[in-house]
Amino acid sequence: MAGIYIHIPFCKQRCGYCDFYSHTNLQLKQRYVDTLCKEIELRKHYLAPNETIETLYFGGGTPSLLNTSDFEQIYNALSTHFSLHNLVEITVEVNPDDVNDLLLDTLKSISCNRLSMGIQSFFDHELTVLGRRHTAQQAIEAVNLAQQHGFSNISIDLMYALPNQTIQTWRETLKLAISMNVQHISAYHLTYEPGTLFYKQKTNKIITEKDEEESIQLYEILIQSLTEAGYNQYEISNFSLPCYESKHNSSYWKNTPYIGLGASAHSYNIASRQWNIASVITYCKQIEENKSFFEIEFLTEKEKYNDFIITSLRTSKGVDLQKLTTLFGEKSRSYFIQQCQPYVHTNMLCEKDNFVRLTQKGIFVSDSILETLIDV
Amino acid sequence: MKNIRNFCIIAHIDHGKSTLADRLLEETSTVTGKEMQAQVLDNMDLERERGITIKSHAIQMNYIYEGEKYVLNLIDTPGHVDFSYEVSRSIAACEGALLIVDTTQGIQAQTISNLYMAIEHDLEIIPIMNKMDMDSAMPEEVEDQIVELLGCKSDEIIKASGKTGLGIQEILQAIVKRIHPPKGDPEAPLQCLVFDSVFNSFRGIITYMKIENGTIRKGDLVKFFNTGKEYFADEIGVLRLGMEPREELRCGDVGYIISGIKVSKEVKVGDTITHVKRPCEKGIEGFEEVKPMVFAGIYPIDSEDFEDLRASMEKLQLNDASLTFEAESSAALGFGFRCGFLGMLHMEIVQERLDREFDMDVITTIPNVQYKIYTRKNEVLDVHNPSGMPDITLIDRIEEPYIRASIITRTDFIGSIMSLCLGKRGELIKQDYISSNRIELIYDMPMGEIVFDFYDKLKSISKGYASFDYHISGFRPSKLVKLDILLNGESVDALSSLTHFDNAVTIGRRMCEKLRELIPRQQFDIAIQAAIGSKIIARETIKAVRKDVTAKCYGGDISRKRKLLEKQKKGKKRMKQIGSVEVPQKAFMEVLKLD
């Protein structure tokens, strides 16, 4: 099993919190799509020949800024160089204000069967602070329209611990999200990443970060509301109705290989991880001139072990001890068990049926726990 | 002998001693331009960086004056109060001294105390105003200070600049004309004054000495008067840029002796070397056993490095006989060493050399002085470690060492300096105006109060202008208590300190506050308490981290997350686990840096 990730690093405007790579000069779009198709060809042998490709994911940036011919061009390139017959999940990230009949038809035409909508909040004043270009009303209409077009696997992104968010508005946002009958909800705690506008504003005390107590409370409300509504928390930030887990994102946690195409995209093939240059212009230039366009790291045994722990523990199933032993040997298993002990005692980790997973209490401090469990 | 001149240099740190010395060496062609590395004499990296001399050195120059050849021996001395005994022995080996005063700064406390030492030993003083080329030079004012201090005439002061070479010839002539040749009897029984020693990995210990009386020849059987040990003089010689062997050294000469000594402790600064066959009757006066003044624990961060640390300390000691250490153990830190130092600078140097030369990661605990504890059974215990303090019910009284301190400052800073000294339990003995805007303050202070951050604070409140010197003046009874720090109810021996009863509550409270800043939040609440005996006098809590989860792992970028976690984990490896609490290395020293 394997996945393909396509990065579309264009945005009409930058959101103040986002540190993901994107470019606001849309004039480069055509050149970028051409280059991307060239990379698709160049890397057609990246995945092992026996890997069946089950998921395809268009992320961004804003993939919904692409027009019909862009999508077709990319899809054609992919189907020429990769075997797409076994695809079960094709996801496209869309901005609510880009959603219209044309876009939805286009997505249908490339067999897209899953939409991921960056809604973030159902309050306009919160959206304004985030720097989003859509309104709450547009978000609601976009979901409705997609459902009318027959999309039956829709995911929405929400954010919490926003500077001007209250317990009340967060509850309301969740309530509205649930009422929309979407199959999947990703909810991210706002983080202040160096280099972003928000980070600067926090440093300059223009905005204040939510304190720990309040952010815990918001997280508890999230888990409680969605669980009650029938959603399963299958990963720290991801919730779904039964059988609607994101297959593509799950591959990140499940140690399956994936190829990331486009500027700043990450790839993993068990032996190494690599990432493309995070600059549209340099990425295009290097590929056009047949020069190297990525950095690569070959993983040591320790790094493989660390990655395995970091990714597995984020999931609701947790770390599979059987698999850990098979992959890394008895010694790593006993190191892991030993490192787990203090957390098992304090009820932050629980061990059951050969799986070690985070408890509700443990999820809050999972970074410290991961730090203890990894090996350096 | 009449053509020998032995002299040293008295100067405050940064007054340009080493640069001026370099010029003398150049002028006398002792070093060629090629061999000239900035500041030839300070050859340890640490000495060059800090611009201070830690070890004594000696170097011989030839100088021709009015057609006669003269041998000039410069004995370079350490420039810090921690090493004042070594300075006194170097001074005792000389007949003259160059008093170098930075014309932009004026006379400093250190300079005065060393100057007095030189005058006591009847040295001829040649005053020099250095850095005359600087715009900020204040020649008239500094000239007045020197005239006042020495009672000399203005025209006896040489105006110089190590940078431009101004006055260098004049200094060399003054050395020949004004300093007396050494006295002594070449036929008398041998007496050599040991003023320093260095360790050489091929030759063993090389002892530096001045021959006061008699003559020494290569191969002679000699005896060190105070240790009583006998050796053959395998090699003797003079110190130029390198060592130059000689068959014979006569009274008045300065040179070295190599005699197969392996351990630096066998060579004591101030000792007398004499012949076994025809020994002198008395050793040269002024010999003292060097005693450490400040004590602290040095522990490896990783307890597995204990043996490596021992090996490193032993190697350090080869070159630094004044460093003492013995193994001790701490409940909190495991196995380590209780070390004795001459003072705080010496302690810092040892720590830094362990880090640089031996790559050792160590924790240094709160420094202490040595107290005398009189028990009810009339025993006297020398205690220099809070953990060595007997139970309070067994103690009759405690005495602590006092120093007499001299502080020289510009008058603008008197107020804040006085309140600093008062806070350190200082007693003002007298104040003297050196000039219209400079004053010397004499204080009696408990030494325990100055071992920590006194010098740093003095420097900062006087904007670097005040200078400070001290000598031990005796012991006085004091109301001392042992202040313990508890982390989650567990007493941490490495954080205990001895402190005056009146200050205990304030210090305890501030130590708790400081630890709250120094210890990172962990996954449980950490109670920090200060206690005297069983009585808790202060408390702070570090709240547990309740949430640190990063919500996203964007687009399969696992590497970034892993690298972040790995970096954090490596950082924690440098912390010391005490009970369940992780304490950063620097906390043990910084906990007492209270503002």
Side-chain angles (χ1 to χ4, degrees), chain A residues 264-308:
Chain A
S264 85
H266 283 251
S267 306
Y268 170 62
N269 70 353
I270 314 291
S272 66
R273 294 188 182 277
Q274 64 183 63
W275 47 96
N276 289 347
I277 294 169
S279 152
V280 170
I281 293 169
T282 321
Y283 165 80
C284 291
K285 206 164 155 266
Q286 296 293 101
I287 291 195
E288 286 159 1
E289 293 171 6
N290 293 317
K291 288 184 187 156
S292 165
F293 54 93
F294 59 84
E295 281 182 73
I296 187 162
E297 103 178 312
F298 289 93
L299 301 169
T300 63
E301 276 307 297
K302 251 184 202 176
E303 285 164 345
K304 285 182 187 174
Y305 163 85
N306 291 346
D307 279 355
F308 177 75

Side-chain angles (χ1 to χ4, degrees), chain A residues 19 189 212-213 215 237 258 266 297 299 306-307 314 343 364-368 371-372 374 376, chain B residues 521 523 546-553 556-563 566 568-569 572-573:
Chain A
D19 76 327
H189 188 289
E212 218 174 39
E213 291 311 312
S215 77
S237 312
Y258 47 87
H266 283 251
E297 103 178 312
L299 301 169
N306 291 346
D307 279 355
R314 287 185 68 98
Y343 299 107
F364 291 124
V365 287
S366 60
D367 274 19
S368 319
E371 195 190 300
T372 313
I374 62 170
V376 295
Chain B
R521 293 171 69 200
Q523 290 189 13
R546 293 210 43 214
K547 183 174 180 302
D548 64 7
V549 51
T550 344
K552 48 195 172 187
C553 266
D557 185 358
I558 310 295
S559 306
R560 180 164 130 189
K561 177 85 182 166
R562 170 180 9 94
K563 280 172 191 156
E566 284 173 351
Q568 283 170 8
K569 188 169 175 113
K572 285 216 179 129
K573 276 197 168 173

Side-chain angles (χ1 to χ4, degrees), chain A residues 156-355:
Chain A
I156 62 175
D157 285 355
L158 299 177
M159 288 181 79
Y160 61 101
L162 308 177
N164 56 345
Q165 194 174 36
T166 63
I167 302 280
Q168 200 47 45
T169 59
W170 178 229
R171 278 190 200 282
E172 287 294 319
T173 289
L174 286 167
K175 213 166 128 189
L176 251 159
I178 292 163
S179 74
M180 296 179 73
N181 292 318
V182 291
Q183 289 69 29
H184 187 279
I185 296 173
S186 300
Y188 298 112
H189 188 289
L190 173 67
T191 49
Y192 293 81
E193 302 291 343
T196 62
L197 178 68
F198 270 35
Y199 186 83
K200 216 197 258 167
Q201 290 180 331
K202 185 183 98 170
T203 315
N204 297 335
K205 304 202 157 63
I206 296 168
I207 48 180
T208 7
E209 194 171 1
K210 289 279 186 227
D211 68 33
E212 218 174 39
E213 291 311 312
E214 194 173 351
S215 77
I216 289 173
Q217 206 184 344
L218 292 165
Y219 190 48
E220 280 169 344
I221 291 170
L222 165 72
I223 294 168
Q224 197 195 358
S225 315
L226 295 189
T227 315
E228 277 172 12
Y231 291 87
N232 230 339
Q233 184 180 16
Y234 69 98
E235 196 268 346
I236 286 177
S237 312
N238 287 294
F239 300 78
S240 76
L241 294 177
C243 305
Y244 282 98
E245 292 91 8
S246 159
K247 288 191 179 60
H248 182 83
N249 280 337
S250 298
S251 69
Y252 297 152
W253 326 128
K254 284 183 182 158
N255 210 32
T256 54
Y258 47 87
I259 176 170
L261 300 155
S264 85
H266 283 251
S267 306
Y268 170 62
N269 70 353
I270 314 291
S272 66
R273 294 188 182 277
Q274 64 183 63
W275 47 96
N276 289 347
I277 294 169
S279 152
V280 170
I281 293 169
T282 321
Y283 165 80
C284 291
K285 206 164 155 266
Q286 296 293 101
I287 291 195
E288 286 159 1
E289 293 171 6
N290 293 317
K291 288 184 187 156
S292 165
F293 54 93
F294 59 84
E295 281 182 73
I296 187 162
E297 103 178 312
F298 289 93
L299 301 169
T300 63
E301 276 307 297
K302 251 184 202 176
E303 285 164 345
K304 285 182 187 174
Y305 163 85
N306 291 346
D307 279 355
F308 177 75
I309 303 298
I310 292 167
T311 52
S312 310
L313 208 66
R314 287 185 68 98
T315 65
S316 56
K317 281 175 98 178
V319 175
D320 182 342
L321 291 176
Q322 201 75 52
K323 200 167 165 192
L324 177 85
T325 318
T326 318
L327 288 172
F328 305 104
E330 197 51 55
K331 220 174 144 191
S332 294
R333 179 200 165 99
S334 52
Y335 172 81
F336 178 76
I337 300 280
Q338 190 203 337
Q339 296 299 99
C340 283
Q341 285 323 301
Y343 299 107
V344 174
H345 291 310
T346 50
N347 205 20
M348 294 200 187
L349 286 176
C350 83
E351 194 195 338
K352 210 181 146 196
D353 303 331
N354 251 335
F355 276 85

Side-chain angles (χ1 to χ4, degrees), chain B residues 148-345:
Chain B
E148 174 106 348
L149 192 68
L150 291 178
C152 63
K153 295 192 193 81
S154 299
D155 60 6
E156 286 172 350
I157 303 170
I158 300 173
K159 296 185 174 62
S161 162
K163 209 160 138 198
T164 64
L166 171 76
I168 302 300
Q169 271 300 333
E170 215 183 319
I171 293 171
L172 288 166
Q173 289 168 16
I175 291 169
V176 172
K177 282 195 291 188
R178 280 149 70 172
I179 297 174
H180 312 293
K183 297 185 192 86
D185 179 359
E187 305 307 326
L190 181 67
Q191 270 187 320
C192 311
L193 172 65
V194 173
F195 61 86
D196 205 355
S197 68
V198 294
F199 173 76
N200 178 299
S201 46
F202 302 106
R203 316 293 309 269
I205 305 291
I206 301 164
T207 306
Y208 295 166
M209 60 181 187
K210 182 210 179 185
I211 295 115
E212 295 283 349
N213 280 302
T215 303
I216 183 170
R217 283 174 197 86
K218 186 183 168 186
D220 284 355
L221 181 62
V222 295
K223 181 170 88 173
F224 282 62
F225 200 86
N226 287 290
T227 62
K229 298 210 171 187
E230 295 177 8
Y231 312 92
F232 284 101
D234 298 337
E235 182 180 320
I236 56 171
V238 295
L239 297 150
R240 293 182 65 85
L241 191 61
M243 296 185 288
E244 284 184 12
R246 294 276 190 274
E247 286 301 313
E248 180 185 281
L249 293 174
R250 297 164 64 86
C251 84
D253 281 335
V254 170
Y256 69 90
I257 170 169
I258 298 174
S259 51
I261 303 176
K262 298 270 185 300
V263 192
S264 66
K265 279 191 260 187
E266 288 179 27
V267 179
K268 296 191 187 295
V269 170
D271 202 350
T272 305
I273 303 174
T274 188
H275 279 123
V276 173
K277 273 196 181 155
R278 191 182 159 221
C280 55
E281 279 174 31
K282 283 197 298 186
I284 298 161
E285 269 179 39
F287 173 77
E288 280 173 33
E289 287 274 356
V290 182
K291 284 197 207 86
M293 292 296 173
V294 175
F295 300 83
I298 290 188
Y299 289 82
I301 291 226
D302 188 339
S303 41
E304 283 174 17
D305 294 339
F306 174 72
E307 285 305 326
D308 287 349
L309 179 59
R310 181 200 294 279
S312 307
M313 303 273 286
E314 278 166 358
K315 275 191 197 147
L316 258 186
Q317 205 181 37
L318 288 177
N319 219 336
D320 183 353
S322 45
L323 168 69
T324 63
F325 63 90
E326 57 185 25
E328 71 166 2
S329 71
S330 144
L333 301 178
F335 288 101
F337 298 97
R338 192 75 191 163
C339 305
F341 308 97
L342 298 175
M344 289 303 287
L345 177 76

Side-chain angles (χ1 to χ4, degrees), chain B residues 370-383 388-401 475-482 498-500:
Chain B
Q370 184 156 297
Y371 298 95
K372 286 195 185 302
I373 296 185
Y374 295 82
T375 66
R376 291 190 192 276
K377 288 183 191 154
N378 256 335
E379 296 157 315
V380 189
L381 306 171
D382 285 329
V383 171
M389 187 144 124
D391 192 87
I392 210 148
T393 55
L394 304 173
I395 297 174
D396 178 58
R397 66 182 196 282
I398 303 175
E399 288 186 355
E400 65 177 327
F475 280 78
R476 292 194 200 176
S478 266
K479 219 176 157 192
L480 290 174
V481 288
K482 184 177 162 216
L498 294 173
T499 167
H500 193 263

